[in-house]
Amino acid sequence: MVEQMEESPERLARPLVRLASMMGVATSYTGLSRDFHEISDETLVAILGALGIDATSDEAIEKAIADITRERNMRLIDPTVLHTVGKETHVTLRTGITEPAQVSLILENGEPFAGELVINAMPEAKVHEIDGKFIAESDLILPAELPVGYHTLHVESGERSEDATLISAPERIEMLDPMKNGSLWGWMAQLYSIRSADSWGVGDYTDLRTLLTDGKRYTDADFLLVNPLHAAEPVVPLTPSPYLPVSRRFVNFTYIRPEDIPEYNTLDDDAKAKVKAAHQKVEGLNNDAQLIDRDAMWLEKKPALREVFDAGLSQERQREFDEYKARCGEDLEAYATWCLCYEMWGAPQDKADSWIHKMDKQSPEVIALREQHADTLEFYRWLEWTATQQLHLAQEAARTAGMKIGIMSDMAVGVHPLSSEVWWNPERFAKGATVGAPPDVFNQQGQNWSQPPLSPLALKNTGYRSYREMVRGMFDCAGAVRIDHILGLFRLWWIPEGHAAVDGTYVYYDHNVMLGILAIEASRVGGIVVGEDLGVVPPYVQKSLSEHGVLGCAVEWFEQMDGVFTPPKHWRPYALASVNTHDLPPAAGYLEYEHVKIRERLGLLEEGAEAFEASARAEHNAMLQMLTDEGYLDPSVLQDETAHETEIVEALYRGLKGSPCKLLAASIVDAVGEKRAQNQPGTDNEYPNWRVPLADAAGDAVMLEDLFRGDLLQSITKIMNA
C-alpha cells in the first residue's frame, strides 16, 4: 500500500480548500516524522474566520472567492512591492484598457526619484471584466539602481490613484569580515539571572554592560546572546517569560539601573536617601540561588525611578527626550497609554467587563485619563527612553571594548494577547486564533504559545510598517538579532480559539519581504541575523535563509539522525552553533537526565516514563560514543561518568569548536556547572520558568563579580580560543 503524502485532486477542487489556498492557509502538512495530515474543515473555517473571511456555508465560501478575486484584480498595484537592489524588478499594474498608468516614486528621504520608470504592455496580458469595465495588466520596470530603503510608489489611472510601499532591500546580509574565512564566538545568558552586588535582585542593563566588557576582557568573546528584552507590564505581577512580551517594539524598563541615570546625581539628599533605602530592601535578593523575584524588585525600583524622574531634565536632556518621543510617535503613545490604564484601572483581563475589552484608544475615558494623569503618562514615556538609553550604552561599551558584534538580541515570536500592541492596533492581528507548534518528539501534545498572530493581510496592506519599526528598534541597540522560530516568517502554526494545539494548521507569510526588511536594517548597522530554524523546517526555508545571508542554528544535542550523532565537522557552516538551548537543561543537567526527571515529575509524557528514559539513555550513550570516536573525549572517562562529568562537558565544547559554523555560542550556565533548566516547554507555574538564578554545581549563587574567575569557565574559554 502506498502511503498518502499529498491531497487528492478531488479535495483540492473543493471550494473551501480553494479558498484556504487563496489566503495562504495550509490544507495539509507533513510532520517531523514524515507523517501526512489533512486539515479538517472545522479548522479551515475557524482559521479563515480569524482572517476575517466568512466560510461557514457554501454560499459564503463562493462569495468570498468572488470578492477576493475581484478586489485583487481591481487594485492598480499591490500594496507592498519588494525590489532587490542591483536587479531589475517587474511589477504588475492593473488599469483600464483605455486608461494608461502614470507612476512616480518618492524615496525614503522625501526626494523624488530622478531615474526613469518604464511601463510596458504585456504581450499576453490578462484582461478581466469587472462591473462592465475591462482591466488589463501592464509591466512596470523598477531599475536596478534604486537605493536601499522604504519608498512610496504613486500610481494614477483615469480617476483612480493608489500608493504602494516599495521596499528596496539588499540581496543578502553581508557576513562580517572575520566570519568570511573563520568564525566568531561568544556567550549566551539569561540577563535577569546574573546579578552583581549593585543589582536590585535581578540582572539589569548595567550588569549587561559589565557582562559585555568583562566578557571581552577576560575571555576575548565577541558577542553575548541574551534573552528577549522586549517591553513588559508596568505593575506587578510581572510576567516571567521574556517570550510573552507586552510589546516587541520597545524594551523592558524594569531592567533600568536607577543609579546610572544621569539625573540621579542631581537628586537632593532626601530623594537620594529614598532611592538608597529602596535598594537596600532588595539587596538580599542578589544572593538568592533559588528564585528570581521580579515582583519584589519592581515594587522597590519603580518608586525609586519616580524619584529620579521627578528631579527633571536639563535643557539639553529635555531636547533629547523630545526628539525620542517624536521619533517613536504613536507607537510610544500606545505603550505609555496602555501602562497608564494598567496602573489606574488594574491588570487587563480576558473578561468582557475589563477595560481592555470595553475601551480602545479613542474612547472618551482613555482620552480623559491621559489628560488627568499627564505626568504619569510622561513618566512611562521617560522610562522607555531611559531603558533604551541604558541598553544602547551597553552596546556602545561592547564595541568600544573590541567586541565584533556585542549584543545579540533575541526576537520573540509574538506578544501577549492582552498587550499594548493588540489593544492599540487590533487590526494588525488575527482574531480567534493563537500561535503555537504542532506535536513533535520533544512536545508530544503540541504547543500553544497563547500569542495572537500578526495578520499577513494587515502586514501587506500597511507596507509591513509595524515589523519594520520593530526590527529597526532592535538593531538600534544590538549588533545582531536572533529570531526565535524564524519559520514564523514563512509560516506560523495557527490554533483556533478553544482548540488543542494538534487542531491547528499553518498560515503562510511573505517571507521574502520580511527577510528583505531584515537585510535593510542589518546593513544599516553592519549587523547580522540568526534564525532559530530547529524542528520541522522545509528545505525551501533553509535555502531561502542561506540566499539572504541569514544564519541558522545548530544544537549539538539535536544534530542526530536515527539515533546517531553527526560529527561537528559535518555541520553546516552558516549557523550559530551551541551545545544546548534555553529549553534544555545545562550540559551537566542533561548528562544527569534532568530533562527526564522534569517531564516525569510534571506528567508531560504521553508515552510511558520508562520508554522515554530508555530513549534518553540511548541518546546519552550515542553522544558519548560520537565524542570518543571523534577524539574529543578519552574513552577511559566512560568507566566513571559521574567522576568525570566536567571532562565530558569540556568534550562537548571541544566538539562545538570542531565545527565549521560561523558563530559559536558557549552557555554561561554550562560554564559555572549549573544543572537546572531555565524553561520547560508546556508548563506555566508548574515549573519556575525564567525565574532560575545563576548558580554553580553546589547550588550557590554565582555573582557577576566572580563569574569570569571560575575554573570551568576559564577551561571552556581556552577551548573556544584554541
Side-chain angles (χ1 to χ4, degrees):
M1 181 178 177
V2 178
E3 185 178 1
Q4 180 186 356
M5 293 302 290
E6 61 182 23
E7 296 171 87
S8 68
E10 292 77 18
R11 175 175 165 81
L12 293 173
R14 293 182 58 214
L16 176 60
V17 173
R18 285 170 44 222
L19 175 59
S21 298
M22 286 177 68
M23 301 310 300
V25 177
T27 56
S28 66
Y29 78 98
T30 302
L32 184 63
S33 303
R34 299 292 297 162
D35 47 328
F36 180 74
H37 303 267
E38 288 185 345
I39 306 304
S40 70
D41 286 4
E42 181 184 6
T43 293
L44 294 179
V45 170
I47 295 303
L48 286 168
L51 286 167
I53 298 168
D54 182 7
T56 55
S57 68
D58 292 344
E59 294 76 12
I61 292 169
E62 293 291 356
K63 182 179 184 301
I65 292 173
D67 289 347
I68 293 165
T69 302
R70 180 183 183 279
E71 191 274 335
R72 290 177 179 178
N73 289 331
M74 281 296 291
R75 287 200 68 97
L76 288 173
I77 187 172
D78 290 342
T80 300
V81 174
L82 177 64
H83 168 71
T84 300
V85 174
K87 294 184 176 180
E88 216 175 61
T89 300
H90 294 257
V91 180
T92 299
L93 303 179
R94 306 171 197 87
T95 63
I97 57 175
T98 60
E99 299 171 337
Q102 303 291 324
V103 180
S104 59
L105 175 60
I106 302 299
L107 301 177
E108 184 176 14
N109 61 9
E111 298 178 0
F113 176 61
E116 184 180 13
L117 299 174
V118 177
I119 302 175
N120 291 329
M122 291 184 177
E124 299 179 3
K126 296 178 181 177
V127 177
H128 307 277
E129 183 180 357
I130 302 175
D131 299 337
K133 187 172 186 176
F134 290 95
I135 304 296
E137 295 180 349
S138 55
D139 183 30
L140 167 64
I141 302 175
L142 300 177
E145 66 269 17
L146 281 179
V148 169
Y150 309 108
H151 315 308
T152 303
L153 271 171
H154 180 72
V155 183
E156 294 184 0
S157 174
E159 296 180 353
R160 295 188 300 154
S161 66
E162 287 180 15
D163 286 342
T165 300
L166 171 58
I167 297 175
S168 182
E171 185 173 9
R172 59 183 291 108
I173 300 166
E174 289 300 320
M175 207 70 65
L176 301 182
D177 286 342
M179 297 168 61
K180 291 177 180 176
N181 296 308
S183 63
L184 296 175
W185 83 275
W187 295 102
M188 58 184 189
Q190 303 293 316
L191 174 60
Y192 56 82
S193 71
I194 305 177
R195 290 81 53 89
S196 65
D198 294 327
S199 302
W200 288 58
V202 179
D204 58 33
Y205 292 131
T206 298
D207 294 323
L208 174 60
R209 189 168 67 205
T210 303
L211 271 167
L212 290 160
T213 54
D214 282 2
K216 186 62 182 178
R217 179 181 301 126
Y218 297 119
T219 70
D220 202 27
D222 278 305
F223 66 86
L224 176 67
L225 168 59
V226 292
N227 54 278
L229 301 176
H230 303 310
E233 305 93 341
V235 178
V236 300
L238 303 180
T239 300
S241 174
Y243 289 93
L244 193 60
V246 167
S247 170
R248 293 190 296 172
R249 170 67 179 86
F250 294 104
V251 300
N252 192 325
F253 51 54
T254 70
Y255 286 125
I256 294 173
R257 175 73 65 85
E259 296 91 334
D260 275 2
I261 303 171
E263 284 68 40
Y264 173 77
N265 297 316
T266 70
L267 296 180
D268 59 33
D269 292 342
D270 182 57
K272 192 169 286 188
K274 290 180 180 178
V275 174
K276 290 180 178 179
H279 189 183
Q280 288 172 355
K281 289 181 181 179
V282 293
E283 273 184 322
L285 297 176
N286 291 327
N287 296 309
D288 187 340
Q290 297 305 311
L291 198 69
I292 293 290
D293 193 340
R294 291 178 176 84
D295 292 347
M297 171 274 297
W298 191 235
L299 285 171
E300 299 301 331
K301 185 188 283 187
K302 186 181 178 185
L305 288 168
R306 186 65 194 234
E307 290 287 340
V308 181
F309 168 76
D310 288 340
L313 298 170
S314 67
Q315 186 174 354
E316 176 60 22
R317 289 270 291 164
Q318 184 65 52
R319 182 188 62 78
E320 293 176 8
F321 183 30
D322 291 341
E323 288 176 353
Y324 170 80
K325 290 186 289 184
R327 226 171 24 248
C328 294
E330 189 179 356
D331 287 344
L332 182 60
E333 294 310 299
Y335 181 47
T337 303
W338 183 89
C339 287
L340 176 64
C341 294
Y342 194 122
E343 178 171 331
M344 298 300 172
W345 293 335
Q349 299 181 27
D350 199 11
K351 298 179 180 178
D353 61 349
S354 178
W355 62 266
I356 202 162
H357 292 307
K358 288 171 60 179
M359 288 171 269
D360 59 27
K361 59 187 175 185
Q362 296 177 328
S363 297
E365 297 91 336
V366 173
I367 295 171
L369 190 72
R370 283 169 53 90
E371 293 173 351
Q372 293 166 9
H373 299 278
D375 195 47
T376 302
L377 186 65
E378 187 78 341
F379 173 55
Y380 283 120
R381 298 187 190 106
W382 174 86
L383 281 175
E384 190 54 42
W385 173 58
T386 301
T388 302
Q389 282 196 321
Q390 290 197 352
L391 182 56
H392 186 75
L393 286 172
Q395 173 63 9
E396 282 188 345
R399 299 305 290 266
T400 300
M403 278 192 164
K404 304 293 192 306
I405 295 173
I407 297 173
M408 183 182 291
S409 288
D410 203 350
M411 180 193 295
V413 177
V415 294
H416 194 286
L418 302 178
S419 68
S420 66
E421 291 187 10
V422 179
W423 177 61
W424 194 268
N425 294 111
E427 70 283 354
R428 295 178 180 177
F429 297 86
K431 300 172 182 64
T434 56
V435 173
D440 59 34
V441 66
F442 296 103
N443 300 281
Q444 299 169 6
Q445 301 165 0
Q447 297 179 64
N448 188 334
W449 302 328
S450 304
Q451 299 165 331
L454 283 170
S455 166
L457 305 180
L459 284 170
K460 186 179 295 185
N461 289 332
T462 58
Y464 291 75
R465 178 172 293 277
S466 60
Y467 187 76
R468 284 156 39 193
E469 293 300 326
M470 175 185 64
V471 175
R472 178 179 295 170
M474 294 189 73
F475 270 115
D476 278 346
C477 301
V481 170
R482 174 195 177 271
I483 301 176
D484 191 48
H485 192 64
I486 200 168
L487 183 61
L489 302 190
F490 296 78
R491 65 183 192 186
L492 273 174
W493 185 256
W494 287 26
I495 305 165
E497 196 172 63
H499 287 248
V502 71
D503 296 327
T505 188
Y506 285 111
V507 175
Y508 288 84
Y509 292 76
D510 193 332
H511 61 276
N512 286 317
V513 172
M514 289 193 279
L515 290 171
I517 291 168
L518 288 168
I520 291 173
E521 299 304 334
S523 67
R524 286 177 167 173
V525 300
I528 58 175
V529 176
V530 174
E532 186 268 290
D533 57 351
L534 306 171
V536 184
V537 181
Y540 81 93
V541 171
Q542 290 186 339
K543 181 175 183 291
S544 181
L545 294 177
S546 177
E547 290 173 348
H548 285 85
V550 176
L551 279 68
C553 287
V555 178
E556 196 161 12
W557 281 107
F558 295 165
E559 292 291 322
Q560 53 177 300
M561 183 67 69
D562 298 326
V564 178
F565 280 92
T566 303
K569 63 188 177 187
H570 296 313
W571 296 356
R572 53 188 166 137
Y574 294 97
L576 167 70
S578 62
V579 171
N580 42 36
T581 77
H582 54 244
D583 288 336
L584 298 178
Y590 207 80
L591 291 169
E592 295 181 15
Y593 302 105
E594 178 68 13
H595 53 305
V596 177
K597 298 170 186 175
I598 293 174
R599 285 174 167 83
E600 288 181 352
R601 187 168 68 245
L602 301 180
L604 299 176
L605 298 172
E606 285 190 352
E607 60 180 309
E610 290 183 4
F612 184 72
E613 184 170 345
S615 67
R617 291 191 180 280
E619 177 191 58
H620 176 107
N621 294 333
M623 172 62 83
L624 299 187
Q625 185 66 53
M626 185 275 289
L627 294 174
T628 55
D629 288 347
E630 295 299 311
Y632 299 127
L633 182 65
D634 188 328
S636 64
V637 167
L638 304 185
Q639 297 175 16
D640 189 350
E641 292 181 24
T642 303
H644 296 90
E645 190 171 82
T646 297
E647 288 95 320
I648 298 175
V649 172
E650 292 171 345
L652 288 166
Y653 277 94
R654 277 192 288 273
L656 190 70
K657 180 65 177 177
S659 81
C661 298
K662 295 297 182 181
L663 292 176
L664 308 174
S667 177
I668 290 288
V669 288
D670 290 349
V672 299
E674 174 68 270
K675 298 178 182 178
R676 298 168 297 176
Q678 283 292 326
N679 177 54
Q680 174 54 55
T683 65
D684 186 12
N685 288 319
E686 304 94 324
Y687 185 82
N689 296 321
W690 316 113
R691 287 165 284 184
V692 179
L694 186 67
D696 59 21
D700 297 323
V702 177
M703 302 301 291
L704 179 55
E705 290 85 351
D706 303 320
L707 176 61
F708 292 101
R709 300 174 186 170
D711 292 339
L712 179 55
L713 187 143
Q714 286 299 322
S715 175
I716 289 177
T717 296
K718 289 177 182 177
I719 292 170
M720 301 307 291
N721 283 325

